[in-house]
Amino acid sequence: MLLSHGGEPSRTAVPVARWTVEQVLALAPDDASRKAGSKLGSAGPWSGGGCDGSGAVWGLCKGSGSKPYRTVVDVTGPAYKCSCPSRKFPCKHALGLLLVWASDGAALPGGEAPDWAGEWLTGRRARTDGKAGKDAPEGGAASGPADPEAARRRAERRAERITGGAQELEERLADLLRGGLAAAGQAGYGLWEETAARMVDAQAPGLAARVRELGSVPGSGQGWPVRLLEECALLHLLDSAWLGIDRLPEPLAATVRTRVGLTAHAEGPPVRDHWLVLARYDTPDGRIVARRIWLHGRRTGRTALLLSFGAAGRSPALALPVGITIDAEITPHPGAGQLRAELGEQFGTPSPFGTPPPGGTAADAIGAYGRALRDDPWLDSWPVTLDEVIPVPSGDGWQLVDAAGGAALPVAPAALSRPGLWKLVALSGGAPVTVFGECGHRGFDPLAAWSTEAEAGVGTGTDAVGADGSESLGAGPADAMSGTVPLI
């Protein structure tokens, strides 16, 4: 693509891939900018916007004055220019424009930059001698700035801020223990929120999230001091791991970086398989919605987690129906025991059927979670499949009992109020079922289930595998064809 401003060609013939919402939000200089930018992350406030294949994004944002703010971003830097008076880089307008670009391709059509944006782009690229952006990857998410030295300096500055935040958090935890845990129940939530805000200012959103969780423990019912002490110990362990990260083996160090909030990019060779979509659910995080999609590879036996994000009330772009099977490549993220991956190229069309992953007993599930904790001590849960279990009421809750006897898992409190629990009970009818979910210290959270008849392909339209390995498709609705019953 050519830029006509000044008659100069674009910096690169390779189109720059759109960023994810997560990558845009990671650029925010503080939490206030992140929130303000999210409010401008929809097409409503913007006009005259567009983008081109060289990495330029521009738009006019309606403000309080008579004239709209002129905002332009060179994502290959990244670099920003806005006519607003803010001294923050990027300002909320640049963040909002990038969020629109990341989440709504139709709102910023491809085209030619206007003169006011083109002049700045031409001058900037002349100053950088056309070096920025040449390393932008083909396809997939943008991997970040092209200037490795500038990227290194930014990473060092952020690491210094996180270290300062971790040291301050250690002091606050020590003060809490010296004053006694009973005082935490009288301090209210404000103290925890103020501490979390300090961690956000230190650009450690992972630490901030854990501090906010601490604030909710004193109101969690009987026995909360024990739970608070446990969570404080885990937070102290994370602080200590970050402060001594140079001494950790690389897989564990990658996990620690992820836990404190540093974004890790997918790396390594892609893994191609036929992936069954096991579950999909959204969780709100302020004005951002995080979508989690669990996959299971038929050939590799691998379980993978896809994460996508939506800003300003928009649903995340990634939407795979539960129960389908896709022939696709995924690229894993680094870290000890990490399951997160990025979805790559898909081949052919999805198949609306699939069989459940191999399952185990309740004891097997607990063992799998325990082994995962060795690699990631801050892990809340681990994906497992329970085979031949029966949902049984237990006191005020429910549990999943091995049909052969021997062990049981309590259903996590979060699942007790969802209608999916009653779907599971109805599917079982007192008979054994196969259940996929997340097993953690709070119990088992069921996400999908299969009846015994569905696994056998009887009366449900599930896939039948012939002698030549081909699969035939039965009749009925999509969920019935796959036999997969979503529980969330």
Side-chain angles (χ1 to χ4, degrees):
M1 177 179 290
L2 298 179
L3 295 176
S4 62
H5 49 274
E8 296 208 11
S10 66
R11 308 169 61 229
T12 174
V14 178
V16 176
R18 293 181 187 271
W19 294 359
T20 64
V21 170
E22 183 184 32
Q23 288 172 318
V24 174
L25 293 175
L27 296 172
D30 51 40
D31 191 44
S33 297
R34 187 178 296 108
K35 293 179 179 178
S38 296
K39 294 179 180 179
L40 298 175
S42 60
W46 296 92
S47 62
C51 61
D52 65 24
S54 71
V57 186
W58 61 86
L60 303 174
C61 185
K62 183 180 179 181
S64 57
S66 58
K67 295 183 179 180
Y69 295 120
R70 294 177 171 182
T71 308
V72 56
V73 179
D74 182 358
V75 300
T76 61
Y80 324 93
K81 175 69 175 179
C82 185
S83 60
C84 76
S86 174
R87 294 182 178 273
K88 295 181 179 180
F89 294 96
C91 66
K92 65 180 182 180
H93 303 100
L95 288 171
L97 180 63
L98 287 174
L99 286 172
V100 175
W101 175 66
S103 60
D104 188 358
L108 296 175
E112 178 182 308
D115 291 341
W116 59 267
E119 291 175 1
W120 177 79
L121 289 165
T122 301
R124 165 179 157 70
R125 291 168 178 176
R127 289 191 298 272
T128 56
D129 297 325
K131 293 181 180 179
K134 291 184 179 179
D135 296 329
E138 294 187 20
S143 61
D147 185 348
E149 181 60 25
R152 184 189 62 80
R153 290 195 299 268
R154 278 191 292 271
E156 288 180 350
R157 288 195 296 269
R158 184 173 183 184
E160 291 174 358
R161 286 192 288 267
I162 295 175
T163 297
Q167 292 170 340
E168 179 179 347
L169 184 55
E170 283 291 280
E171 294 175 0
R172 298 199 177 199
L173 289 175
D175 291 340
L176 172 65
L177 294 178
R178 278 194 295 266
L181 292 179
Q186 304 170 0
Y189 192 75
L191 175 63
W192 301 105
E193 185 58 36
E194 189 270 337
T195 304
R198 295 287 296 165
M199 296 304 102
V200 171
D201 292 340
Q203 292 189 294
L207 294 179
R210 288 190 168 270
V211 169
R212 291 192 178 100
E213 290 179 2
L214 289 181
S216 64
V217 174
S220 62
Q222 186 177 5
W224 67 263
V226 174
R227 292 191 292 274
L228 181 60
L229 183 60
E230 291 173 348
E231 294 300 325
C232 286
L234 284 173
L235 187 53
H236 166 67
L237 181 64
L238 183 56
D239 280 341
S240 302
W242 172 262
L243 296 174
I245 196 169
D246 292 339
R247 300 189 298 273
L248 300 179
E250 180 51 35
L252 182 57
T255 297
V256 171
R257 286 191 287 268
T258 300
R259 289 298 181 185
V260 300
L262 291 175
T263 302
H265 299 285
E267 61 183 28
V271 179
R272 181 176 177 179
D273 204 341
H274 287 82
W275 301 95
L276 172 64
V277 182
L278 296 170
R280 186 188 79 189
Y281 63 95
D282 296 345
T283 54
D285 183 9
R287 293 181 60 86
I288 303 301
V289 176
R291 173 166 293 169
R292 289 168 169 80
I293 299 178
W294 285 108
L295 305 178
H296 181 266
R298 184 171 61 193
R299 177 182 57 83
T300 60
R302 184 171 188 158
T303 302
L305 174 65
L306 306 180
L307 280 180
S308 59
F309 299 86
R314 293 183 177 273
S315 297
L318 188 59
L320 297 175
V322 173
I324 69 167
T325 299
I326 57 174
D327 181 6
E329 291 180 342
I330 65 168
T331 304
H333 279 241
Q338 295 295 300
L339 297 176
R340 186 180 174 186
E342 297 292 336
L343 182 63
E345 183 178 358
Q346 298 186 46
F347 308 90
T349 57
S351 301
F353 54 84
T355 55
T361 64
D364 294 333
I366 296 173
Y369 177 51
R371 289 189 295 273
L373 285 174
R374 293 184 304 184
D375 295 327
D376 185 354
W378 307 278
L379 193 66
D380 289 327
S381 60
W382 187 255
V384 295
T385 302
L386 298 177
D387 193 23
E388 297 286 313
V389 293
I390 303 173
V392 176
S394 174
D396 295 333
W398 286 78
Q399 58 183 355
L400 299 176
V401 181
D402 289 333
L409 279 176
V411 174
L416 296 177
S417 59
R418 294 200 303 258
L421 175 62
W422 300 108
K423 291 170 67 176
L424 175 61
V425 174
L427 180 68
S428 167
V433 290
T434 296
V435 186
F436 168 80
E438 298 172 357
C439 179
H441 61 279
R442 297 181 179 91
F444 183 85
D445 193 352
L447 302 178
W450 299 262
S451 68
T452 304
E453 290 80 7
E455 295 176 52
V458 179
T460 63
T462 53
D463 55 304
V465 182
D468 59 353
S470 61
E471 296 170 328
S472 60
L473 179 64
D479 281 338
M481 283 189 289
S482 68
T484 304
V485 177
L487 303 178
I488 188 171

